Amino acid sequence: MPPGPGPLVVVLLLSLLLLVAGIHGRLQHEEEEEEEEVQEGGSSSSFTIPVWAPHVPESGEERREHFRALMAKDMRRMMRQVPELMSKTDMFELPMRSALNIAQVGMYVVVVRIGTPALPYSLALETANEVTWINCRLRRRKGKHPGRPHVPPAATTMSIEVDDGGGGGSGGKSKVTKVIKNWYRPAKSSSWRRFRCSQRACMDLPYNTCESPDQNTSCTYYQVMKDQTITSGIYGQEKATVAVSDGTMKKLPGLVIGCSTFEHGGAVNSHDGILSLGNSPSSFGIAAARRFGGRLSFCLLATTSGRNASSYLTFGANPAVQAPGTMETPLLYRDVAYGAHVTGILVGGQPLDIPPEVWDEGPLGNENPEAGIVLDTGTSITHLVSAVYDPVTAALDSHLAHLPKAEIKGFEYCYNWTFAGDGVDPAHNVTIPSFSIEMAGDARLAADAKSIVVPEVVPGVVCLGFNRISQGPSIIGNVLMQEHIWEIDHMSTVLRFRKDKCINHQQLNRHQKKASSSSSSSSSSPPPYPAA
C-alpha cells in the first residue's frame, strides 16, 4: 500500500481550495449584481437598447425631400471613400461633337485617350448607361495600333450604309457614308489588366456572364441596350490620360473598360464605343467624378452644328455652369439614369392636363419605376408615356394642323413645311408655340423651336420631336437637351442647367491654344486633345 500524502501537502491543498472558493464567491456576487443591472433586457447573456426608426414625413413633398437628403448623405459618403487624384479645385475636359453631320446619327461623340501609350477613341456619350466599351481586337498583330489619326473628321477609314429619312412615301433612300473606325488592342497597352471570373470585382460588374469562379477564365459580359444594340466582350481595368485645369497631363486609373469583341445594331459602326456616365460604380462618369469633387457637366451643341464644331464634357467644378439663368432642381437617381421631379408641362404658356400620378416617382425604396422622367444623351427624340404624349402632341398639332401631312417612318406627326430658323413663318401662318417642362425647385426647361420640331427630317418636312412609349419612365432625349449646359452634382444631389450655345468656352479654348503652341515648340510633347 503506497504512503498517503504528507501533512505539508494536505495543508497546501486545503489552502488552495479555500482560495478558489473565495474567488468563485466574489465572481458569483459580481455576476449577481451585473444580472440585476441588465435584468430589464431579459437575459444575463445579452442586453438590449431600444432603437427608433427615423421620422418619415407624411406629405408627399416632405417625404421626397426627406429621402433626397438621405441619398445626398449616402452619395457624400461614397465619394469620400475614394482618395482624390487632384484637389477639388482641379478639373479636366474632353472635347465633344455632334455626330449628326459626321456619321448621320443623332448622338454626341467624345474623344478620350485610353491605354498606355494613350490613344484617342471617339466614344458616344451615354448618361443612362453603366458600361464603357471600345471596339476591341484581342490578338496581337504586327504593325502600328490604328488609333485615330490627328486629322479632321472628314478623313475616313470605313464605309457604312445609313438610312436617309426612311420609307413611308417620303422618298427616303439609303446612302453610303464614311466614318472613322478604330480598334483598341489590349495586348499593346501596358496598363490593361484583365478581370478574371474568380475575382470579386468581376462578380460585381453588370451583365457579366461568368458561369463559375474559374481563375483562368476572362470576365465576360453580354449587354442588350434599350435600342436593342448588342455588345459583348471581356472586362478589364485601364487608364485614361486627361488634361487637367493647370494644363498638365494626368493619368486617371481604375477605369472599367469593356473590350468589345462583338457589336450589333443601332449606330455601332459610327463610333469606337460608348462612354458611360450612368449612376454605377462601373461607369466612367462615376469613377472620374469621385476624383474631381463629385461633379460632371456637359454642354450639348445644336445637333445640326458644323462638322468641326466642338463643345466639352467636364469633370470637376465648371465655372461656366454658374451664370445668370442657371436652373437648379433636386437630382433623382433612377436605376443607372438621372432624372428630375416634373411638376407639369406648358405649351404656349398653358399647362397641359396630365395626371399628376404620372410624375410621382414614390419614396426611396418603394419607387414607381414607370413614373417620372429621366435624361438620356444617347436617345435623340424625347419619348413620353401615352398620358403625357397625347396632350403634348395634341397641343402642338393644333398650331400646325393646317399644314399638309407627311408620312415618315418613326414619327406620328409630320408636316410638309420648310422650317424657319426661329419657328415663325407668317407666309404659311406657322408659329411654333413655346414648350417648357416645369420641375421641382421652380426649374424650367424651355425648349427652342428646333427642339420641339425636328427640321428637315427629309427635305421640306418637319416632325414633332416626340415619340410614344408604352412603358415609363419618360425620356428627355438630346434633341430637347441641345444648346444647354448640364451639370450633375453628386455631392449636393442637384441637377443644374441653363441655355448655352456651347460654342464660346474659355477653358476649352485655352487648352486648344496651349496645345497648338506646345506642338509647335516641341514635337515630343503630346497635345491635350486630338485635332477636331
Side-chain angles (χ1 to χ4, degrees):
M1 185 173 181
L8 180 60
V9 173
V10 172
V11 171
L12 289 174
L13 288 173
L14 289 174
S15 300
L16 181 60
L17 289 173
L18 289 174
L19 178 62
V20 171
I23 294 173
H24 177 73
R26 285 195 299 271
L27 289 174
Q28 187 175 16
H29 177 69
E30 290 174 1
E31 287 175 357
E32 289 173 354
E33 288 183 347
E34 186 177 358
E35 185 174 310
E36 291 176 1
E37 293 175 2
V38 299
Q39 213 167 19
E40 192 171 341
S43 172
S44 60
S45 61
S46 64
F47 67 94
T48 302
I49 297 176
V51 177
W52 286 271
H55 172 68
V56 179
E58 294 184 3
S59 74
E61 189 61 35
E62 289 180 346
R63 286 172 69 90
R64 189 174 293 109
E65 179 61 26
H66 169 79
F67 286 111
R68 189 192 72 82
L70 292 183
M71 180 64 76
K73 174 182 69 67
D74 291 345
M75 182 56 67
R76 284 192 292 270
R77 283 171 58 88
M78 185 184 77
M79 289 292 173
R80 289 168 183 161
Q81 288 172 0
V82 180
E84 290 187 354
L85 188 64
M86 296 88 174
S87 72
K88 290 184 179 180
T89 58
D90 281 327
M91 59 182 284
F92 77 89
E93 294 176 333
L94 300 170
M96 180 171 60
R97 302 192 303 270
S98 169
L100 189 61
N101 284 334
I102 300 172
Q104 305 299 309
V105 291
M107 59 178 56
Y108 289 84
V109 173
V110 182
V111 178
V112 189
R113 290 179 177 270
I114 301 290
T116 305
L119 295 167
Y121 299 91
S122 291
L123 306 180
L125 188 71
E126 294 259 5
T127 54
N129 200 330
E130 55 192 319
V131 178
T132 294
W133 59 265
I134 310 176
N135 303 305
C136 186
R137 284 181 177 171
L138 290 175
R139 295 183 180 180
R140 181 184 292 273
R141 296 185 180 182
K142 294 182 179 180
K144 188 178 179 180
H145 187 297
R148 179 177 299 278
H150 292 178
V151 292
T156 57
T157 59
M158 174 176 280
S159 296
I160 62 171
E161 188 173 281
V162 297
D163 190 5
D164 186 20
S170 64
K173 297 179 180 179
S174 293
K175 68 176 183 179
V176 173
T177 187
K178 291 184 177 181
V179 295
I180 295 175
K181 184 78 167 179
N182 299 308
W183 304 94
Y184 168 71
R185 295 184 178 180
K188 295 192 174 183
S189 172
S190 62
S191 51
W192 164 261
R193 297 292 181 271
R194 183 184 305 210
F195 284 117
R196 304 289 180 178
C197 287
S198 57
Q199 294 177 270
R200 174 61 185 271
C202 171
M203 303 311 294
D204 292 338
L205 293 174
Y207 313 109
N208 92 72
T209 55
C210 285
E211 297 180 356
S212 64
D214 185 349
Q215 63 179 356
N216 295 319
T217 304
S218 296
C219 182
T220 54
Y221 70 92
Y222 183 90
Q223 183 189 22
V224 181
M225 288 172 263
K226 292 179 181 178
D227 63 356
Q228 300 306 303
T229 296
I230 297 172
T231 173
S232 66
I234 64 172
Y235 279 124
Q237 265 194 340
E238 255 295 7
K239 295 180 180 180
T241 300
V242 299
V244 296
S245 49
D246 62 3
T248 61
M249 306 297 291
K250 299 289 185 181
K251 290 285 189 181
L252 187 64
L255 302 175
V256 176
I257 299 293
C259 171
S260 178
T261 56
F262 174 79
E263 311 90 36
H264 175 73
V268 296
N269 287 328
S270 60
H271 51 70
D272 299 330
I274 295 295
L275 186 73
S276 64
L277 299 185
N279 179 40
S280 169
S282 62
S283 86
F284 182 98
I286 291 296
R290 281 176 173 176
R291 293 170 172 84
F292 289 88
R295 297 164 72 175
L296 67 94
S297 57
F298 48 89
C299 204
L300 297 185
L301 288 158
T303 55
T304 55
S305 58
R307 297 172 65 91
N308 293 319
S310 66
S311 56
Y312 52 92
L313 165 65
T314 304
F315 290 90
N318 185 354
V321 175
Q322 301 296 339
T326 296
M327 302 286 180
E328 289 192 0
T329 188
L331 176 66
L332 302 183
Y333 296 96
R334 307 297 307 278
D335 193 16
V336 300
Y338 305 107
H341 179 65
V342 174
T343 57
I345 294 180
L346 282 69
V347 173
Q350 299 300 312
L352 302 182
D353 185 15
I354 298 173
E357 57 267 23
V358 170
W359 309 122
D360 188 7
E361 301 90 357
L364 188 67
N366 191 30
E367 299 97 334
N368 180 358
E370 296 188 17
I373 204 161
V374 298
L375 307 174
D376 186 5
T377 56
T379 297
S380 297
I381 304 302
T382 293
H383 289 65
L384 304 172
V385 295
S386 294
V388 182
Y389 177 83
D390 289 336
V392 165
T393 53
L396 294 173
D397 182 60
S398 67
H399 294 262
L400 302 170
H402 61 284
L403 295 172
K405 296 293 192 295
E407 292 186 5
I408 301 293
K409 183 180 179 180
F411 294 92
E412 185 176 358
Y413 292 90
C414 296
Y415 313 90
N416 287 307
W417 174 60
T418 300
F419 179 78
D422 57 358
V424 178
D425 181 7
H428 294 88
N429 192 27
V430 172
T431 300
I432 303 298
S434 62
F435 176 90
S436 63
I437 300 177
E438 310 289 307
M439 304 178 188
D442 295 325
R444 171 181 292 189
L445 174 59
D448 291 332
K450 64 176 174 293
S451 297
I452 301 169
V453 298
V454 182
E456 300 295 290
V457 176
V458 295
V461 174
V462 301
C463 299
L464 296 185
F466 304 91
N467 278 338
R468 184 197 305 271
I469 52 174
S470 59
Q471 183 177 342
S474 296
I475 302 169
I476 297 179
N478 61 43
V479 170
L480 203 62
M481 296 171 67
Q482 66 180 320
E483 293 195 331
H484 280 76
I485 184 171
W486 299 83
E487 182 180 66
I488 296 169
D489 186 344
H490 291 289
M491 295 299 288
S492 303
T493 58
V494 169
L495 174 68
R496 300 183 181 92
F497 60 92
R498 68 172 176 82
K499 283 185 176 293
D500 194 307
K501 295 292 185 181
C502 307
I503 57 177
N504 185 24
H505 180 52
Q506 294 180 351
Q507 186 71 23
L508 185 63
N509 292 339
R510 186 163 70 249
H511 281 325
Q512 290 174 333
K513 289 178 181 178
K514 285 185 178 180
S516 60
S517 61
S518 63
S519 61
S520 61
S521 61
S522 174
S523 59
S524 62
S525 58
Y529 308 117

